[in-house]
Amino acid sequence: EAAVTQSPRNKVAVTGGKVTLSCNQTNNHNNMYWYRQDTGHGLRLIHYSYGAGSTEKGDIPDGYKASRPSQENFSLILELATPSQTSVYFCASGDRWGSSAETLYFGSGTRLTVL
Amino acid sequence: GDSVTQTEGLVTLTEGLPVMLNCTYQTIYSNPFLFWYVQHLNESPRLLLKSFTDNKRTEHQGFHATLHKSSSSFHLQKSSAQLSDSALYYCALSDHHNAGAKLTFGGGTRLTVRP
């Protein structure tokens, strides 16, 4: 099964500070995603990537940047963290073979609190 | 844009009773993929089942769902709820033909099964 590792598991940041969330996958998947999870909103896509060097904006990209320096690593960067970015963040990887649907494999999540 | 609606935020059932979690969607795609992901407490979301075939029942781990394009629905069902079914369930949608299709998730339904 796909292995997706996120770090840190928990993070407390101050308003205006910079936060970097890291994600590593070991299954050579082309696609990687960052979602945030909030009660009532489900999982919302922030940024995604189709491969090393590429990043794309998702549905709620404002206030976030992403970096995909290699096939394995995908980071989410909050340059100026705000309390509204307090959430649980999930990284996921996936790939699509032929006409089959892409299955996402999620990491264990990062709980971010911005004070 | 695409949207997925899960009308029940919370569902509480007694063990042994049938489960039905509602999912409807809106999309411009004529051949969407529909998914159900499940997230148990303190775990990450994982795929439960998926389908893109109209009017065909898809089953996995005792759950089943049928995609009905005529009503834009993909309800999740199980004949008899178990305590271990208590979890957060997400319905999701993607474009069948887009190689790097990103998922749009519903708001989620939290299912609690009581003895």
Side-chain angles (χ1 to χ4, degrees):
Chain A
E1 185 167 319
V4 181
T5 305
Q6 292 182 233
S7 62
R9 289 297 305 274
N10 293 282
K11 173 73 177 179
V12 178
V14 296
T15 297
K18 182 178 180 178
V19 177
T20 300
L21 307 183
S22 299
C23 179
N24 175 275
Q25 56 102 357
T26 59
N27 290 282
N28 201 32
H29 285 163
N30 286 324
N31 305 332
M32 295 187 75
Y33 306 83
W34 277 106
Y35 287 90
R36 61 177 285 176
Q37 181 179 45
D38 303 284
T39 302
H41 292 280
L43 292 161
R44 293 181 290 174
L45 183 63
I46 306 170
H47 284 287
Y48 58 105
S49 169
Y50 292 145
S54 91
T55 60
E56 305 287 339
K57 292 181 179 180
D59 299 320
I60 53 165
D62 292 345
Y64 302 94
K65 292 183 179 178
S67 174
R68 181 89 181 267
S70 64
Q71 181 80 340
E72 297 80 18
N73 295 296
F74 190 39
S75 298
L76 185 68
I77 303 144
L78 290 67
E79 295 278 3
L80 295 170
T82 68
S84 64
Q85 293 175 313
T86 293
S87 185
V88 178
Y89 292 84
F90 283 99
C91 175
S93 74
D95 220 334
R96 181 178 168 177
W97 303 97
S99 61
S100 67
E102 179 177 19
T103 296
L104 294 190
Y105 296 89
F106 287 84
S108 52
T110 294
R111 184 174 298 276
L112 174 65
T113 303
V114 182
L115 302 175
Chain B
D2 297 339
S3 66
V4 177
T5 301
Q6 296 179 245
T7 51
E8 311 102 346
L10 296 169
V11 172
T12 302
L13 291 172
T14 301
E15 188 178 17
L17 291 182
V19 178
M20 181 162 172
L21 306 184
N22 291 319
C23 173
T24 57
Y25 63 90
Q26 288 186 316
T27 181
I28 61 173
Y29 307 125
S30 58
N31 293 300
F33 264 115
L34 272 294
F35 306 79
W36 278 99
Y37 278 78
V38 59
Q39 183 181 15
H40 287 91
L41 190 63
N42 297 323
E43 296 183 4
S44 54
R46 62 173 176 82
L47 180 67
L48 179 58
L49 49 80
K50 62 187 178 186
S51 177
F52 73 92
T53 306
D54 198 13
N55 298 316
K56 180 180 178 181
R57 175 170 161 148
T58 299
E59 298 189 34
H60 188 63
Q61 296 183 335
F63 287 89
H64 63 91
T66 302
L67 175 59
H68 292 296
K69 293 185 180 179
S70 61
S71 58
S72 298
S73 67
F74 191 58
H75 306 318
L76 183 67
Q77 299 182 69
K78 188 177 184 185
S79 59
S80 176
Q82 298 178 296
L83 297 176
S84 58
D85 294 331
S86 294
L88 182 58
Y89 291 82
Y90 287 109
C91 185
L93 160 77
S94 77
D95 172 22
H96 179 211
H97 294 292
N98 188 337
K102 54 187 178 69
L103 291 182
T104 298
F105 285 87
T109 297
R110 183 168 296 283
L111 174 64
T112 300
V113 181
R114 294 181 172 173

